Amino acid sequence: MPVDLPHVSAPAPAPAARDRVTTRVRLDLSYDGTDFHGWAAQPGQRTVQGELEKALGRIARVPARVTVAGRTDTGVHARGQVCHLDLPDAVLATLPGRSDRTPAEALVTRLAGVLPGDVVVHVAREVTEDFDARFGAQWRRYRYRISDGPAAHDPLRRDVLRHRRPLNVAAMSRASAALVGEHDFLSFCKPRVGATTIRELRELRWERPGEGRADEGLIVATVVADAFCHHMVRSLVGALIGVGEGRRDEDWPAQVLAARTRVSPTRDGAGSAPLCPPQGLTLDHVAYPPDEELAAWAARTRTLRQPLSMDQPESAESD
């Protein structure tokens, strides 16, 4: 007697076999932070993220949300900022129109037509889903520029701090040496609930470029770390300016580091580092590993940097 067998549906195709729905796109951009209320979108405020996402929405005609390497503060600039977003494949396909440009090339051209003049997207490129602008970064480099005398003041530059006193660059360089390495930078950070303040400061270097060099006559600090806490770069510079002015001894920044406190310093004792103004600070470069290492690096960074309380997201950089 024949037996009725249950109907078995064919297995659904594996995700890899399905057509792609979205493509991840990396954007490399720069901006003059003077007239922005920082990177992160905020209601009623002009921000870099707000302007960029508004421009992307006009072009793509769908909501666009970007993830950034470092959320810079009000007044902070960027020459080498990086972010990523996921765009529908159907949208990407329409961007070149009748031209022979790639979708990524067309996106850069079209963004140039709608972004304000103080934001520029230099390059767009399609990347794998393993690329994460924030957690995938291996290190970040900032530069802080100071003009410490009328001869070096340039009214056309908005990325330089005008300082009222001459600074001793050699003393600032010597005082910086004790801060390099992996430390708890609590005294140099505005901590976030549940997030670590341990960072690896890989480079903290001061120079006054000579004649014919870029930034001639200015004082330039180069600061490199795996990541930065909120206000960390500005606090490092603020502490070292005190040394450069002669108001603090060269070992004072090391005492601030060892204090591990958010209590303000006394006249003779160490406490939290002072915060210098934002306008001299520029995000210069963000470095990423080779493509085959992106996923592992991002997973490692998430483990190290994610706050214990997910209600208090930690910024990779908030200077």
Side-chain angles (χ1 to χ4, degrees), residues 40-86:
Q42 302 174 57
Q45 300 287 352
R46 184 175 188 261
T47 69
V48 183
Q49 181 182 11
E51 293 290 343
L52 180 59
E53 290 182 348
K54 181 169 64 175
L56 287 164
R58 287 181 59 185
I59 293 169
R61 300 185 184 279
V62 295
R65 181 74 175 179
V66 298
T67 298
V68 74
R71 293 180 291 181
T72 50
D73 262 358
T74 299
V76 176
H77 319 285
R79 282 193 173 89
Q81 181 67 278
V82 179
C83 65
H84 79 256
L85 74 157
D86 296 324

Short mmCIF file of all heavy atoms in Angstrom, two decimals, residues 40-86:
data_model
loop_
_atom_site.label_atom_id
_atom_site.label_comp_id
_atom_site.label_asym_id
_atom_site.label_seq_id
_atom_site.Cartn_x
_atom_site.Cartn_y
_atom_site.Cartn_z
N ALA A 40 29.40 64.56 16.08
CA ALA A 40 28.19 63.76 16.29
C ALA A 40 26.92 64.57 16.09
O ALA A 40 26.80 65.70 16.57
CB ALA A 40 28.21 63.15 17.69
N ALA A 41 25.96 63.97 15.39
CA ALA A 41 24.67 64.62 15.12
C ALA A 41 23.95 64.94 16.43
O ALA A 41 23.89 64.12 17.34
CB ALA A 41 23.80 63.71 14.26
N GLN A 42 23.44 66.19 16.53
CA GLN A 42 22.71 66.64 17.71
C GLN A 42 21.54 67.50 17.25
O GLN A 42 21.72 68.35 16.37
CB GLN A 42 23.61 67.45 18.63
CG GLN A 42 24.85 66.72 19.11
CD GLN A 42 25.76 67.63 19.90
OE1 GLN A 42 25.36 68.22 20.88
NE2 GLN A 42 27.00 67.76 19.46
N PRO A 43 20.38 67.32 17.84
CA PRO A 43 19.22 68.13 17.44
C PRO A 43 19.49 69.62 17.60
O PRO A 43 20.00 70.06 18.63
CB PRO A 43 18.12 67.66 18.40
CG PRO A 43 18.55 66.30 18.86
CD PRO A 43 20.04 66.35 18.89
N GLY A 44 19.19 70.38 16.58
CA GLY A 44 19.32 71.82 16.64
C GLY A 44 20.74 72.35 16.53
O GLY A 44 20.96 73.56 16.66
N GLN A 45 21.72 71.49 16.27
CA GLN A 45 23.11 71.91 16.16
C GLN A 45 23.67 71.55 14.78
O GLN A 45 23.32 70.52 14.21
CB GLN A 45 23.97 71.25 17.25
CG GLN A 45 23.56 71.55 18.67
CD GLN A 45 23.89 72.96 19.09
OE1 GLN A 45 24.57 73.70 18.38
NE2 GLN A 45 23.41 73.36 20.27
N ARG A 46 24.56 72.40 14.28
CA ARG A 46 25.24 72.10 13.02
C ARG A 46 26.45 71.22 13.33
O ARG A 46 27.39 71.65 14.02
CB ARG A 46 25.69 73.39 12.33
CG ARG A 46 26.33 73.16 10.96
CD ARG A 46 26.65 74.48 10.28
NE ARG A 46 27.08 74.29 8.91
CZ ARG A 46 28.37 74.29 8.52
NH1 ARG A 46 29.34 74.51 9.40
NH2 ARG A 46 28.67 74.10 7.24
N THR A 47 26.43 70.00 12.83
CA THR A 47 27.52 69.05 13.07
C THR A 47 28.00 68.46 11.76
O THR A 47 27.28 68.48 10.75
CB THR A 47 27.08 67.91 14.01
OG1 THR A 47 26.13 67.07 13.32
CG2 THR A 47 26.45 68.44 15.29
N VAL A 48 29.20 67.89 11.76
CA VAL A 48 29.75 67.28 10.55
C VAL A 48 28.91 66.06 10.15
O VAL A 48 28.53 65.91 8.98
CB VAL A 48 31.22 66.89 10.74
CG1 VAL A 48 31.79 66.32 9.43
CG2 VAL A 48 32.06 68.07 11.21
N GLN A 49 28.60 65.21 11.11
CA GLN A 49 27.79 64.04 10.80
C GLN A 49 26.43 64.45 10.26
O GLN A 49 25.93 63.86 9.29
CB GLN A 49 27.60 63.18 12.05
CG GLN A 49 26.78 61.92 11.80
CD GLN A 49 26.55 61.10 13.05
OE1 GLN A 49 26.83 61.55 14.16
NE2 GLN A 49 26.05 59.89 12.89
N GLY A 50 25.84 65.47 10.85
CA GLY A 50 24.54 65.93 10.38
C GLY A 50 24.57 66.40 8.94
O GLY A 50 23.69 66.06 8.14
N GLU A 51 25.58 67.20 8.59
CA GLU A 51 25.69 67.70 7.22
C GLU A 51 25.98 66.57 6.24
O GLU A 51 25.43 66.54 5.13
CB GLU A 51 26.79 68.77 7.13
CG GLU A 51 26.49 70.05 7.88
CD GLU A 51 25.38 70.86 7.22
OE1 GLU A 51 25.07 70.61 6.03
OE2 GLU A 51 24.81 71.74 7.90
N LEU A 52 26.85 65.64 6.63
CA LEU A 52 27.20 64.54 5.73
C LEU A 52 26.01 63.62 5.50
O LEU A 52 25.72 63.24 4.35
CB LEU A 52 28.38 63.74 6.31
CG LEU A 52 28.88 62.55 5.51
CD1 LEU A 52 29.32 62.98 4.11
CD2 LEU A 52 30.02 61.85 6.24
N GLU A 53 25.30 63.26 6.57
CA GLU A 53 24.16 62.37 6.40
C GLU A 53 23.02 63.05 5.64
O GLU A 53 22.30 62.40 4.88
CB GLU A 53 23.69 61.89 7.78
CG GLU A 53 24.67 60.92 8.42
CD GLU A 53 24.20 60.38 9.75
OE1 GLU A 53 23.22 60.91 10.31
OE2 GLU A 53 24.84 59.42 10.24
N LYS A 54 22.86 64.36 5.82
CA LYS A 54 21.86 65.09 5.05
C LYS A 54 22.20 65.05 3.56
O LYS A 54 21.32 64.83 2.71
CB LYS A 54 21.76 66.53 5.54
CG LYS A 54 20.72 67.36 4.82
CD LYS A 54 20.49 68.69 5.54
CE LYS A 54 21.74 69.56 5.53
NZ LYS A 54 21.48 70.91 6.14
N ALA A 55 23.49 65.26 3.23
CA ALA A 55 23.91 65.23 1.84
C ALA A 55 23.75 63.83 1.24
O ALA A 55 23.27 63.66 0.10
CB ALA A 55 25.37 65.68 1.73
N LEU A 56 24.12 62.81 2.00
CA LEU A 56 23.97 61.44 1.51
C LEU A 56 22.50 61.10 1.30
O LEU A 56 22.13 60.42 0.33
CB LEU A 56 24.59 60.46 2.52
CG LEU A 56 26.12 60.43 2.57
CD1 LEU A 56 26.59 59.74 3.85
CD2 LEU A 56 26.69 59.73 1.35
N GLY A 57 21.63 61.57 2.19
CA GLY A 57 20.20 61.32 2.04
C GLY A 57 19.63 61.96 0.79
O GLY A 57 18.77 61.39 0.11
N ARG A 58 20.12 63.17 0.45
CA ARG A 58 19.65 63.84 -0.77
C ARG A 58 20.05 63.06 -2.01
O ARG A 58 19.29 62.97 -2.98
CB ARG A 58 20.22 65.25 -0.83
CG ARG A 58 19.61 66.24 0.14
CD ARG A 58 20.20 67.61 -0.01
NE ARG A 58 20.01 68.15 -1.36
CZ ARG A 58 20.53 69.30 -1.78
NH1 ARG A 58 21.28 70.03 -0.96
NH2 ARG A 58 20.30 69.73 -3.01
N ILE A 59 21.25 62.50 -1.99
CA ILE A 59 21.75 61.78 -3.16
C ILE A 59 21.11 60.40 -3.27
O ILE A 59 20.65 59.99 -4.34
CB ILE A 59 23.29 61.66 -3.08
CG1 ILE A 59 23.94 63.04 -3.21
CG2 ILE A 59 23.81 60.71 -4.16
CD1 ILE A 59 25.41 63.04 -2.89
N ALA A 60 21.09 59.66 -2.15
CA ALA A 60 20.62 58.28 -2.18
C ALA A 60 19.09 58.18 -2.10
O ALA A 60 18.52 57.15 -2.47
CB ALA A 60 21.24 57.50 -1.02
N ARG A 61 18.45 59.23 -1.57
CA ARG A 61 16.99 59.24 -1.37
C ARG A 61 16.55 58.14 -0.41
O ARG A 61 15.41 57.66 -0.47
CB ARG A 61 16.26 59.13 -2.71
CG ARG A 61 16.58 60.27 -3.67
CD ARG A 61 15.74 60.19 -4.93
NE ARG A 61 16.11 61.23 -5.89
CZ ARG A 61 15.70 62.49 -5.83
NH1 ARG A 61 14.88 62.88 -4.85
NH2 ARG A 61 16.08 63.37 -6.74
N VAL A 62 17.46 57.73 0.46
CA VAL A 62 17.14 56.82 1.56
C VAL A 62 17.91 57.33 2.78
O VAL A 62 18.93 58.02 2.64
CB VAL A 62 17.55 55.36 1.26
CG1 VAL A 62 16.74 54.80 0.10
CG2 VAL A 62 19.05 55.26 0.98
N PRO A 63 17.45 57.03 3.99
CA PRO A 63 18.20 57.46 5.18
C PRO A 63 19.60 56.88 5.17
O PRO A 63 19.81 55.71 4.81
CB PRO A 63 17.37 56.91 6.34
CG PRO A 63 16.00 56.72 5.78
CD PRO A 63 16.19 56.34 4.34
N ALA A 64 20.59 57.69 5.54
CA ALA A 64 21.98 57.25 5.56
C ALA A 64 22.55 57.47 6.96
O ALA A 64 22.40 58.54 7.54
CB ALA A 64 22.81 58.02 4.54
N ARG A 65 23.22 56.46 7.50
CA ARG A 65 23.82 56.55 8.83
C ARG A 65 25.28 56.14 8.72
O ARG A 65 25.59 55.07 8.23
CB ARG A 65 23.09 55.62 9.79
CG ARG A 65 23.61 55.65 11.22
CD ARG A 65 23.20 56.93 11.93
NE ARG A 65 23.61 56.91 13.33
CZ ARG A 65 23.41 57.91 14.18
NH1 ARG A 65 22.79 59.02 13.75
NH2 ARG A 65 23.79 57.84 15.43
N VAL A 66 26.19 57.01 9.17
CA VAL A 66 27.61 56.73 9.03
C VAL A 66 28.21 56.37 10.39
O VAL A 66 27.76 56.83 11.44
CB VAL A 66 28.37 57.93 8.42
CG1 VAL A 66 27.86 58.24 7.03
CG2 VAL A 66 28.27 59.16 9.31
N THR A 67 29.25 55.54 10.34
CA THR A 67 30.05 55.18 11.52
C THR A 67 31.44 55.76 11.31
O THR A 67 32.06 55.55 10.27
CB THR A 67 30.15 53.65 11.68
OG1 THR A 67 28.82 53.13 11.90
CG2 THR A 67 31.04 53.28 12.84
N VAL A 68 31.95 56.50 12.30
CA VAL A 68 33.17 57.28 12.12
C VAL A 68 34.32 56.73 12.95
O VAL A 68 34.11 56.07 13.98
CB VAL A 68 32.91 58.76 12.48
CG1 VAL A 68 32.81 58.94 14.00
CG2 VAL A 68 33.97 59.68 11.89
N ALA A 69 35.54 57.01 12.50
CA ALA A 69 36.73 56.56 13.22
C ALA A 69 36.89 57.28 14.55
O ALA A 69 37.30 56.69 15.55
CB ALA A 69 37.97 56.78 12.36
N GLY A 70 36.59 58.58 14.59
CA GLY A 70 36.77 59.35 15.81
C GLY A 70 35.82 60.53 15.84
O GLY A 70 35.83 61.36 14.94
N ARG A 71 35.00 60.63 16.89
CA ARG A 71 34.02 61.70 16.99
C ARG A 71 34.66 62.95 17.58
O ARG A 71 34.79 63.09 18.79
CB ARG A 71 32.83 61.24 17.84
CG ARG A 71 32.03 60.13 17.18
CD ARG A 71 30.86 59.69 18.02
NE ARG A 71 31.31 59.00 19.23
CZ ARG A 71 30.46 58.50 20.14
NH1 ARG A 71 29.16 58.62 19.98
NH2 ARG A 71 30.93 57.88 21.20
N THR A 72 35.06 63.85 16.73
CA THR A 72 35.78 65.04 17.17
C THR A 72 34.84 66.03 17.85
O THR A 72 33.65 66.09 17.56
CB THR A 72 36.46 65.72 15.97
OG1 THR A 72 35.51 65.88 14.91
CG2 THR A 72 37.63 64.90 15.47
N ASP A 73 35.43 66.83 18.75
CA ASP A 73 34.67 67.80 19.53
C ASP A 73 34.44 69.10 18.77
O ASP A 73 35.01 69.32 17.69
CB ASP A 73 35.44 68.13 20.83
CG ASP A 73 34.92 67.33 22.01
OD1 ASP A 73 33.96 66.57 21.84
OD2 ASP A 73 35.49 67.48 23.11
N THR A 74 33.64 69.96 19.36
CA THR A 74 33.39 71.30 18.81
C THR A 74 34.71 72.02 18.53
O THR A 74 35.58 72.10 19.40
CB THR A 74 32.56 72.13 19.80
OG1 THR A 74 31.30 71.49 20.01
CG2 THR A 74 32.32 73.54 19.28
N GLY A 75 34.86 72.54 17.31
CA GLY A 75 36.03 73.31 16.96
C GLY A 75 37.23 72.52 16.51
O GLY A 75 38.23 73.10 16.07
N VAL A 76 37.19 71.19 16.59
CA VAL A 76 38.31 70.34 16.19
C VAL A 76 38.19 70.02 14.70
O VAL A 76 37.10 69.78 14.19
CB VAL A 76 38.35 69.05 17.02
CG1 VAL A 76 39.47 68.12 16.54
CG2 VAL A 76 38.54 69.39 18.50
N HIS A 77 39.33 70.00 14.00
CA HIS A 77 39.38 69.82 12.56
C HIS A 77 39.79 68.39 12.19
O HIS A 77 40.21 67.61 13.05
CB HIS A 77 40.38 70.80 11.94
CG HIS A 77 40.32 72.17 12.53
ND1 HIS A 77 39.31 73.07 12.26
CD2 HIS A 77 41.15 72.79 13.42
CE1 HIS A 77 39.52 74.19 12.93
NE2 HIS A 77 40.62 74.05 13.64
N ALA A 78 39.70 68.08 10.91
CA ALA A 78 40.17 66.77 10.43
C ALA A 78 40.72 66.91 9.02
O ALA A 78 40.11 67.56 8.17
CB ALA A 78 39.05 65.75 10.45
N ARG A 79 41.87 66.29 8.79
CA ARG A 79 42.41 66.13 7.44
C ARG A 79 42.31 64.68 6.98
O ARG A 79 42.32 64.42 5.78
CB ARG A 79 43.89 66.58 7.40
CG ARG A 79 44.09 68.07 7.37
CD ARG A 79 45.54 68.43 7.01
NE ARG A 79 45.68 69.86 6.80
CZ ARG A 79 45.97 70.73 7.78
NH1 ARG A 79 46.15 70.28 9.01
NH2 ARG A 79 46.08 72.01 7.53
N GLY A 80 42.25 63.75 7.92
CA GLY A 80 42.24 62.33 7.57
C GLY A 80 41.17 61.55 8.27
O GLY A 80 41.41 60.46 8.76
N GLN A 81 39.96 62.10 8.34
CA GLN A 81 38.85 61.39 8.98
C GLN A 81 38.37 60.27 8.07
O GLN A 81 38.45 60.36 6.83
CB GLN A 81 37.71 62.37 9.26
CG GLN A 81 36.51 61.77 9.94
CD GLN A 81 36.76 61.33 11.36
OE1 GLN A 81 37.29 60.23 11.55
NE2 GLN A 81 36.41 62.17 12.34
N VAL A 82 37.84 59.20 8.67
CA VAL A 82 37.33 58.04 7.92
C VAL A 82 35.98 57.64 8.51
O VAL A 82 35.80 57.62 9.74
CB VAL A 82 38.29 56.85 8.00
CG1 VAL A 82 37.72 55.64 7.25
CG2 VAL A 82 39.66 57.22 7.44
N CYS A 83 35.03 57.33 7.65
CA CYS A 83 33.76 56.77 8.12
C CYS A 83 33.29 55.74 7.11
O CYS A 83 33.83 55.61 6.01
CB CYS A 83 32.71 57.86 8.32
SG CYS A 83 32.21 58.73 6.81
N HIS A 84 32.28 54.95 7.51
CA HIS A 84 31.69 53.99 6.57
C HIS A 84 30.18 54.03 6.69
O HIS A 84 29.62 54.48 7.70
CB HIS A 84 32.23 52.58 6.79
CG HIS A 84 31.61 51.85 7.95
ND1 HIS A 84 32.25 51.67 9.16
CD2 HIS A 84 30.41 51.25 8.10
CE1 HIS A 84 31.47 51.00 9.99
NE2 HIS A 84 30.35 50.72 9.37
N LEU A 85 29.51 53.56 5.65
CA LEU A 85 28.08 53.40 5.66
C LEU A 85 27.71 52.26 4.72
O LEU A 85 28.51 51.86 3.87
CB LEU A 85 27.37 54.68 5.24
CG LEU A 85 27.40 55.05 3.74
CD1 LEU A 85 26.23 55.96 3.42
CD2 LEU A 85 28.72 55.76 3.39
N ASP A 86 26.50 51.72 4.90
CA ASP A 86 25.98 50.66 4.03
C ASP A 86 24.90 51.26 3.15
O ASP A 86 23.91 51.80 3.64
CB ASP A 86 25.42 49.51 4.86
CG ASP A 86 26.49 48.82 5.70
OD1 ASP A 86 27.62 48.70 5.20
OD2 ASP A 86 26.19 48.41 6.83
#
